Amino acid sequence: MELPFAESWKIKMVEPIRKSTREERERWLKEADYNVFMLRADQVYIDCLTDSGTGAMSDRQWAAMMTGDESYAGARSFYELKDTITRITGFEYVIPTHQGRAAENVLFSHLVKNGDIVPGNSHFDTTKGHIESRKAFAVDCTVDEAKNTQLEIPFKGNVDLNKLENVLAKDSDKIPFIIVTITNNTAGGQPVSMENLRGVRKLADKYGKRVVFDSARFAENAYFIKTREPEFKDATIKEICREMFSLADIMTMSSKKDGLVNMGGFIATRWEDIYEGAKRFVIPFEGFLTYGGMNGRDMAALAVGLDENTEFEMLETRIKQVEYLAAKLDEYGIPYQRPVGGHALFIDADKVLDRVPKEEFPAQRLTIELYREAGVRGCEIGYLLADRDPVTRENRFDGNDFLRLCICRRTYTDNHMNVIAAALKNVYDRRHEVTRGVRIKWEAELMRHFTVKLEPLG
Ligand code: F0G
């Protein structure tokens, strides 16, 4: 008999979690103004809000923390981190920051100015926020196929090179750089192929532009390149990473994802002028150049995390768990962005709650219903997160409306996946009873989904 697949690690430390009653959850939802970001984590049974900073560190990472160097300047832990990043990416200049959005803030303070245009593939909300808050514009050039959730293509996160070239040809003088998000979170954790990254590089060279990779889930992207792009089937993940980053000039990183740590980020680049420019902003915003908002011990753990997560077995274990949950949803007929991505399932809320008008935010309603059902916390990645158009102030309904269920790295077991799937099935079975969504009581101007106050309708 062939041996079944199993995790490439065993568990050394556990943390209790607690179930709740439906009555408790009803009360907590009301107190949270129907925004799951406002719940206390103790009120959540299985937390799929995000895969950001929520994973479990390895014994090697915890061991590295004990030897962290906390020197203000020139810490050994910084140099260990820098050498690891250089080895994996080829980038020589490294600036640590406290998380990914801080890397964006530092880099964009140097590169983005009023009236600029930054083309890319589904800019993440903090990325878009940091562009739009500088009165610049994020232009989405993702392939149209990404919007069709039922279409199965291997690289749904790709940049549409025709769209990109149109923007470059029309507004070249306003474009400081092109940004490619690997994997494409907003489109469903969908990967970008090496072929597409090469195409972006070619266009960037033609128009004399630099390329930034928003690299939060770069290792998962490399896994998909290995398993879906025949040219790379025999390459190691580390070889694929080197090749991917050879096509970029700069990376911003949220280490809370593929760095396997709970907090941290960095900028890395091959260009001295970028380093010199960004340097001016890291000191006032983040801290001195060799810690930029991170503890020495956290940089030490990150160096180990980056190394571990660029090994095939670690990524295979993770992505197979996401696929396990997806297979359950297939069994129940629940529609999600296909094929399943690297870090999460993106449930197609428009298709599930098809009687809820889009003006009433179906994915947010679905998020609420899932929490109500079983204390499983997902997150809306849809019309609320899309914010309003900065010029017209209208809601943006042109993207997808997803309930995202993130799977934390090395945290939950397949039994937890079974609970999530059953809870979703119960909500799905009573979907026709849900005809109304939610109304906004209060919202912030930018990145409103974190703090929005809502009221359920019906
Ligand atoms: N880029 C991408 C693609 C992201 O997914 C995130 C964060 C960031 C940048 C910002 O990094 O959180 O360290 O400041 N994504 C989290 C999520 C929050 O839930 O998807 P950060």
Side-chain angles (χ1 to χ4, degrees), residues 50 99-101 104 124 181 185 214 217 254 257 404:
T50 178
Q99 62 183 97
R101 67 201 66 185
E104 292 163 359
F124 184 66
T181 305
N185 180 2
D214 174 350
R217 300 177 183 85
S254 168
K257 285 87 166 172
R404 184 184 72 170

Side-chain angles (χ1 to χ4, degrees), residues 125-404:
D125 60 342
T126 59
T127 318
K128 186 151 57 98
H130 276 302
I131 292 168
E132 291 180 349
S133 67
R134 289 174 172 81
K135 307 264 184 288
F137 302 92
V139 178
D140 185 7
C141 300
T142 309
V143 291
D144 288 337
E145 288 91 333
K147 284 197 186 153
N148 178 356
T149 59
Q150 299 313 292
L151 184 72
E152 296 252 1
I153 54 168
F155 292 102
K156 240 178 176 174
N158 277 357
V159 179
D160 181 324
L161 298 176
N162 288 326
K163 285 188 200 171
L164 178 62
E165 176 138 37
N166 285 343
V167 183
L168 285 164
K170 189 160 158 271
D171 284 310
S172 184
D173 54 326
K174 294 192 190 134
I175 297 174
F177 55 84
I178 301 161
I179 188 158
V180 187
T181 305
I182 53 172
T183 58
N184 183 329
N185 180 2
T186 314
Q190 296 292 323
V192 179
S193 69
M194 193 74 86
E195 186 192 0
N196 192 248
L197 294 176
R198 285 174 180 153
V200 171
R201 178 77 260 168
K202 229 171 146 180
L203 283 177
D205 289 344
K206 179 170 167 191
Y207 290 89
K209 300 296 168 195
R210 280 174 166 159
V211 177
V212 178
F213 284 176
D214 174 350
S215 312
R217 300 177 183 85
F218 75 93
E220 291 170 11
N221 202 80
Y223 173 89
F224 286 118
I225 287 177
K226 180 174 169 68
T227 52
R228 293 182 186 173
E229 219 168 343
E231 181 187 341
F232 295 96
K233 72 177 192 332
D234 297 322
T236 65
I237 296 294
K238 284 192 167 67
E239 284 163 357
I240 294 170
C241 289
R242 273 305 275 256
E243 177 102 10
M244 287 190 320
F245 287 110
S246 76
L247 300 165
D249 299 286
I250 310 164
M251 70 188 284
T252 52
M253 178 71 187
S254 168
S255 307
K256 305 172 70 167
K257 285 87 166 172
D258 275 353
L260 298 181
V261 293
N262 303 111
M263 190 56 71
F266 59 86
I267 300 166
T269 178
R270 67 179 82 261
W271 298 107
E272 192 180 355
D273 66 300
I274 297 289
Y275 175 71
E276 289 300 325
K279 230 168 89 172
R280 296 176 298 142
F281 298 97
V282 72
I283 295 178
F285 289 155
E286 293 292 300
F288 186 64
L289 301 173
T290 56
Y291 75 88
M294 291 186 74
N295 294 311
R297 55 183 168 271
D298 289 342
M299 290 191 283
L302 173 57
V304 177
L306 287 167
D307 225 354
E308 279 180 358
N309 207 29
T310 44
E311 290 298 325
F312 181 75
E313 287 70 20
M314 193 61 75
L315 292 159
E316 186 187 35
T317 295
R318 161 167 187 60
I319 287 168
K320 281 212 187 285
Q321 186 173 49
V322 179
E323 287 170 352
Y324 174 85
L325 178 57
K328 291 258 157 209
L329 299 204
D330 287 343
E331 204 179 309
Y332 306 146
I334 302 171
Y336 60 86
Q337 172 71 301
R338 310 182 70 87
V340 69
H343 68 297
L345 268 115
F346 285 62
I347 313 295
D348 192 343
D350 263 345
K351 283 205 167 57
V352 177
L353 298 184
D354 57 1
R355 299 173 72 185
V356 176
K358 61 180 185 310
E359 292 76 13
E360 296 180 8
F361 305 102
Q364 182 62 23
R365 182 68 197 229
L366 190 59
T367 306
I368 293 167
E369 292 304 322
L370 181 64
Y371 175 76
R372 230 181 214 143
E373 179 67 31
V376 174
R377 175 161 68 170
C379 167
E380 192 253 23
I381 299 274
Y383 304 144
L384 265 182
L385 177 131
D387 272 338
R388 289 173 188 274
D389 184 285
V391 179
T392 65
R393 303 305 301 154
E394 291 295 322
N395 280 310
R396 293 190 268 209
F397 293 121
D398 52 341
N400 288 103
D401 197 35
F402 291 127
L403 157 61
R404 184 184 72 170

